[in-house]
Amino acid sequence: MRTYDFSPLFRSTIGFDRLFDLAEAAHRAGEDHYPPYNIERLAEDRYQIVLAIAGFAPDEISVTAEQNVLTVEGVKVDKAAREYLYQGISTRRFKRQFSLADYVEVKSAAFDNGLLRIELAREVPEAMKPRRIAINAASSNSPRQLESVAA
């Protein structure tokens, strides 16, 4: 197992704390592969997460977005006790979290044929978008008077 020491970067960077925390959390995270999922880029600022959650009903799934974390939880409510000879479809409880970048918002969620599709979009506020600054040119034809001394 590899370990990374970010302390040299802490000495020379400002404001990247969240990035280092995400890297450390990803390194510490267990390898839970349930439920399987895909993350797709649909356009420059549009994304889609697709989770395969066969056996769950829409009312047994909750999708929550708060701060920069998207959480998908599933709790299977077994209405009747069943006796399985073989159970290959996993319906265990799950909690999957996705870290979202700044200004990424959840637009919609849809459940169809055992797939949960979550649409995301990055919408940067106008105040944060790059803008062109006009440069005023000084007129070089007329000399500027720096000081005036009354005689």
Side-chain angles (χ1 to χ4, degrees), residues 55-57 59-60 76-82 84:
F56 284 85
D59 62 335
E60 297 171 329
K76 183 70 176 165
V77 179
D78 197 8
K79 297 178 176 108
R82 297 176 185 221
Y84 290 101

Side-chain angles (χ1 to χ4, degrees), residues 14-148:
I14 298 170
F16 290 96
D17 304 340
R18 185 170 177 271
L19 178 65
F20 298 134
D21 291 344
L22 287 173
E24 288 177 0
H27 182 67
R28 280 184 270 127
E31 291 295 320
D32 185 19
H33 298 289
Y34 182 76
Y37 64 93
N38 293 336
I39 300 175
E40 302 175 54
R41 174 182 243 159
L42 303 176
E44 175 130 2
D45 289 329
R46 289 186 47 238
Y47 306 92
Q48 176 177 259
I49 300 172
V50 180
L51 289 100
I53 48 177
F56 284 85
D59 62 335
E60 297 171 329
I61 303 164
S62 70
V63 179
T64 308
E66 69 177 282
Q67 297 270 296
N68 290 4
V69 177
L70 171 66
T71 304
V72 181
E73 289 184 84
V75 178
K76 183 70 176 165
V77 179
D78 197 8
K79 297 178 176 108
R82 297 176 185 221
E83 181 181 342
Y84 290 101
L85 299 178
Y86 173 77
Q87 185 176 6
I89 300 172
S90 180
T91 56
R92 69 179 190 249
R93 162 186 223 118
F94 69 88
K95 180 177 183 179
R96 171 77 62 187
Q97 291 185 320
F98 300 93
S99 296
L100 304 178
D102 292 336
Y103 311 116
V104 173
E105 298 176 1
V106 177
K107 291 299 180 186
S108 65
F111 185 75
D112 186 35
N113 293 329
L115 296 176
L116 175 64
R117 296 180 189 279
I118 303 169
E119 300 284 334
L120 305 145
R122 178 180 23 234
E123 294 182 355
V124 179
E126 285 296 322
M128 300 300 290
K129 290 184 180 176
R131 56 190 167 96
R132 182 171 291 275
I133 308 298
I135 300 172
N136 297 327
S139 174
S140 60
N141 295 342
S142 60
R144 289 185 5 194
Q145 181 177 357
L146 296 177
E147 289 184 18
S148 73

